[in-house]
Amino acid sequence: MTTVTATHIGQQSGKAASRGLSGPACLNEMLLSLVSLRDADNAEQIADKMRTVAWLLPPALGEGCYAARIVWLGTAYDPPGLPAFPPHIIHPFDVASRETGSIELWRTPAAPLPPRAYALLEDCGQIISSCLQQIVTVAATRERAEQYRSIFDYVTEALVLYDLEGIILDINAAALRLLGADHERLRGRWFGDLLPPDDAAELAAHINRIRLRGMTFAESHLRRMDGRPVPVEMTDRLLLLQGRQVVLSNARDISERHSAREALERRMEREHLVGDIATLLAGSTPEATQAALTAVTERLGNFLGVRHVWFIEMPPGETTVSLRHEWRAAGATSRKGTLDATPLNMLPWSLWRLTDFETVAIEDAGSLGKGHEHERDRHREMGLVSTLAVPLRRRAELAGCLAMDDIGNRKWSAEDIALAETVGGMLGAALDRTATLLQHQRAHAHIAAILDTLPAQVAVVDGTGRITHVNASWLHAAADMSLPEPMRCLPGADYLSALDAKTPDIPSAGDAATLLREILAGRREGGSLEYEVMADGRRHFMLQLAPLMPPLTGAVLMRSDVTALRRAEADLARSEVRYRMLLDTMQEGLLFTDAAGRMTYINGPFCAMVEHDADSLAGREALDLVAPESRQAFQNLLFPGEAPPSLQEITWLTSKGGRAFSLVSPSILRDSHGHFIGLTAMITNITQRRILESQLAQTQKLEAVGSLATGIAHEINSPVQYLGSNLTFLQHAFDDIMKAYTTCDTALRTARDGGSDVPSIDAALDAMQHLDTAYLRDEAPRALRECLEGVEHIAAIVRSVRQFAHPGNGTVVPVDINFNIESTVNVARSSWRRVASLRLDLAPGLPPVPCVPSEFNQTVLNLLINAVHAIEDRKAEDPAHEGSIVITSRLKAGWAEVSVSDNGAGIKPEHAAHVFDPFFTTKPMERGTGQGLAIAHACIVGRLGGQLFFRSEPGLGSTFFIRLPFTSPSQEA
């Protein structure tokens, strides 16, 4: 202990005396400072009060005490003038049952205090301990309140706290965002103002149910400040807050779930409808078409909620339409009288729009502007306001339309239009299938799964991993005894230690503990972990962790049960498998591309058609598989611009170097802004049909050649006969010449040898006289010329037959059509020369025309044979009639035009519309099958982009016209 000298003591005593306070006064002043210590709000006030007490304590104690200081939690509160040597007396005191402070005294003499002074010192220590205890308690309470507010506002779900009268006591930030309000507008307001009227009227009864059950759960709506209702999932719990019962309402916004559910239900209904319609149409026969149309239009009309649905047919060659079927809703007036037998140009929709295969959607006909006057006027005349018309295709031609109307200004949504176009496409395909006797199936199935968000369980841990707060969802989960221990931890439990225990029911508990430690240590800003719980069946949970905002230390845990989500994903995967199985078992090929034309999905039939596997095609550009002659047409499908895509014939390159022919029915995919995002194409393999058509065309040519064989044989027989006669004559003449030559040769040799054999000379002269050289000099050259002419005539016939019957390779090439016409006329000479005279009027210098030579020859032959048959029919009625056939070629308005005219019986008006239909014929079986003009039409119009038409007057004759462009369709593309 430091020795205190008299001088030193005197100095300290002087300082004490200089305070100017007596012992009792100092005691009173010190007690007042101790009392005011309880009200200190911050560290600065605490320090000031503590120094004051230390300054007043020595004179209050007396007994030679001349200096003092107070030490608490390692901080020394020193008054002015404190000695530099250690204190003589140290009196400890505790706060919250722990020795955390002391009072240090300096006195003279350096000896223990008398009992009275020591008791006063002890009382002073207790008072200081009590004051500090109160300060600690108030600080802890304030920290918990701040922690509660932080947690309350941190929760992402809306929380509203109201009393049993329904008055709102508090509301968190998430609820304010949900309701579009602030604290001032909602705090103190009746909770029923936020509920629908029916729920508000039942609020008191609802609160009673909460008091009886402790918790309720229901779906309802909350009204935002702007009046818009928000669907919510509400969990209400009864709590005890500061001695009174209150209700904590947890409102979870389920708007997305509702929208997704409605969209999913609507999509599923649409997909079921499309599937049902596809089933109806796929299984329909020509006899059952009307029944299928009735079912299709009824289902489509009921689904879209329209007034009418019409199936309007536009037969080729007709100037009026035919209303095949009308469906109308209950109370709707029939429009059959205004639509059936209506001229094409009097339809409510512009014919050019339908001809261009444009879907016409009119929301308000009265608002149509310039360029749509026809549609506006026709809608007004027919009493129509909002209509939708989808063109129907048949063999790449307009076959009719599927139309509907509704009351008022209906906004036709993209889904409405897509559904109508899908049904229209299926109807068009069904019509084409009926016409060509082919079966098509179209099935589109789109399955999507939207998973609901499950209620979150929230807990807060401090910096040591001990739980300090949990919400009601966590408490509810903790009451589930089937869950393992770490998931049932309550406030005060060491959550980190529970995770470290590595319970076998949570295999990932160690990973969760590591993640939590890294967040508490500040090495990570947050994280999430999904883990399985093996107890009570396998369940999946998502654990999300985030640090508390400074100055708080700890972390927030958010735990969600995602078991239903994982099961839904498994169901979705199974649905995806079923979906892909459905697509792979379709008869048609299916191709999806993105906006850049890269293939995103191809089904099995398409892969089989191009002889590739799906893996090798995924991600490749679809254009790589398209044959050069079809690439421009396919690019027009991929990048359609403003014009809608149309049904196209596309040729594909197979992996083995071959070609596959197909009909491609495209559908453009657009996003919500109308931007092109990809293409869906239904692809029908027509390779076998092409092969059969080629074989049929070749068979027809061979049949034609066969039917002309007798005439061709007769044509060859005549030159063969006079060729044989002339050759016989030349053979006899040659024998006579050789005999004369031999006789003369003998006489000459004898004369050369010096002999004078008179008999041999006489014999030579007789032989020459008998030879008749003058006759041979005239007739032999003529016989040779006739032989050469006969040979050339036969060769010309053979060349014509070979050129006509040659199958070719089906390629479009420039052709001298005048030469081909002459060859065809030459081949068919035996068919027409005894029936009619034939005159060729062919324009000289006609440029080469792109076409398939064999198909052009077949077309000319079919028209020539038909002309012969027409003249024969007229001769049967008038044997004296002189038949005449004229074939011309001309260059007319950019076309190469060929006409075949006859003065035969003509075509009856009732037969005119069916002349080019397959298998239509008025001839007996031995004279025709009805395929000639159908094949000619497919070649000239369908393949070459030309025209084939006729003019006929019964009893006077007919003229058929072939018009071919000088540019092939592939060159135009």
Side-chain angles (χ1 to χ4, degrees), residues 462-519:
D462 60 17
T464 65
R466 190 176 297 276
I467 294 179
T468 60
H469 178 80
V470 296
N471 72 344
S473 295
W474 185 288
L475 288 173
H476 182 72
D480 186 355
M481 300 305 295
S482 64
L483 293 176
E485 180 61 28
M487 303 185 68
R488 294 188 290 110
C489 289
L490 295 174
D494 190 341
Y495 184 70
L496 198 54
S497 297
L499 291 176
D500 285 335
K502 297 182 179 179
T503 173
D505 290 334
I506 309 180
S508 301
D511 296 335
T514 300
L515 178 60
L516 178 56
R517 279 195 176 88
E518 291 182 351
I519 292 174

Side-chain angles (χ1 to χ4, degrees), residues 312-323 339-347 399:
I312 301 172
E313 190 173 20
M314 302 175 184
E318 294 289 338
T319 59
T320 60
V321 303
S322 173
L323 182 60
L339 284 175
D340 195 24
T342 299
L344 288 171
N345 59 356
M346 294 303 290
L347 284 172

Side-chain angles (χ1 to χ4, degrees), residues 633-948:
F634 192 77
Q635 281 184 325
N636 294 339
L637 296 180
L638 283 175
F639 309 106
E642 296 298 327
S646 59
L647 187 69
Q648 293 283 352
E649 284 197 22
I650 300 296
T651 303
W652 305 87
L653 300 175
T654 68
S655 64
K656 298 179 180 179
R659 274 172 160 74
F661 303 94
S662 69
L663 285 176
V664 176
S665 176
S667 295
I668 296 301
L669 302 178
R670 301 186 185 275
D671 60 16
S672 58
H673 302 291
H675 299 147
F676 174 73
I677 59 174
L679 172 76
T680 300
M682 186 74 71
I683 301 170
T684 302
N685 190 347
I686 60 170
T687 304
Q688 290 300 319
R689 188 173 76 180
R690 274 292 185 85
I691 294 173
L692 292 175
E693 289 175 352
S694 175
Q695 292 174 347
L696 179 60
Q698 183 65 12
T699 301
Q700 288 249 325
K701 287 192 291 185
L702 295 177
E703 287 177 354
V705 173
S707 65
L708 300 174
T710 302
I712 294 172
H714 181 73
E715 289 294 322
I716 294 176
N717 185 55
S718 296
V720 167
Q721 285 181 348
Y722 66 73
L723 186 62
S725 298
N726 287 336
L727 290 175
T728 301
F729 161 71
L730 291 173
Q731 182 179 9
H732 292 318
F734 181 77
D735 291 342
D736 292 342
I737 291 172
M738 289 305 295
K739 289 178 181 179
Y741 171 79
T742 302
T743 305
C744 292
D745 182 67
T746 302
L748 290 174
R749 289 179 184 277
T750 302
R752 184 189 64 184
D753 296 337
S756 55
D757 189 356
V758 175
S760 62
I761 295 174
D762 291 337
L765 292 174
D766 290 341
M768 293 299 294
Q769 186 176 2
H770 178 73
L771 187 60
D772 195 0
T773 56
Y775 175 75
L776 291 177
R777 187 180 299 112
D778 293 335
E779 293 302 325
R782 184 182 302 162
L784 287 172
R785 285 196 301 273
E786 288 179 354
C787 287
L788 291 175
E789 290 174 359
V791 170
E792 178 59 30
H793 185 60
I794 294 171
I797 293 174
V798 171
R799 282 197 301 272
S800 297
V801 173
R802 289 182 61 192
Q803 195 275 341
F804 175 81
H806 192 280
N809 57 8
T811 303
V812 177
V813 296
V815 172
D816 180 358
I817 60 173
N818 286 346
F819 173 74
N820 283 41
I821 292 172
E822 292 172 348
S823 297
T824 303
V825 169
N826 195 20
V827 169
R829 180 181 302 276
S830 62
S831 298
W832 56 262
R833 69 175 183 175
R834 290 184 178 83
V835 177
S837 63
L838 190 148
R839 179 169 60 88
L840 293 178
D841 183 10
L842 305 179
L846 195 65
V849 180
C851 66
V852 181
S854 60
E855 294 179 353
F856 176 79
N857 295 345
Q858 181 67 42
T859 300
V860 174
L861 177 64
N862 288 340
L863 297 181
L864 178 57
I865 297 301
N866 285 347
V868 171
H869 290 169
I871 294 172
E872 288 177 343
D873 291 342
R874 185 168 179 183
K875 278 181 173 289
E877 299 176 359
D878 182 8
H881 177 68
E882 293 183 1
S884 174
I885 299 173
V886 179
I887 300 178
T888 68
S889 67
R890 294 287 186 272
L891 177 63
K892 183 173 291 187
W895 298 84
E897 182 181 273
V898 177
S899 67
V900 179
S901 302
D902 67 75
N903 61 349
I907 300 173
K908 295 180 180 180
E910 60 267 26
H911 297 157
H914 305 288
V915 166
F916 298 114
D917 288 350
F919 304 107
F920 176 79
T921 181
T922 59
K923 303 175 184 179
M925 183 62 68
E926 62 274 6
R927 291 179 65 187
T929 62
Q931 284 291 289
L933 290 179
I935 293 175
H937 189 274
C939 166
I940 301 300
V941 178
R943 185 166 186 183
L944 300 178
Q947 298 176 359
L948 179 60

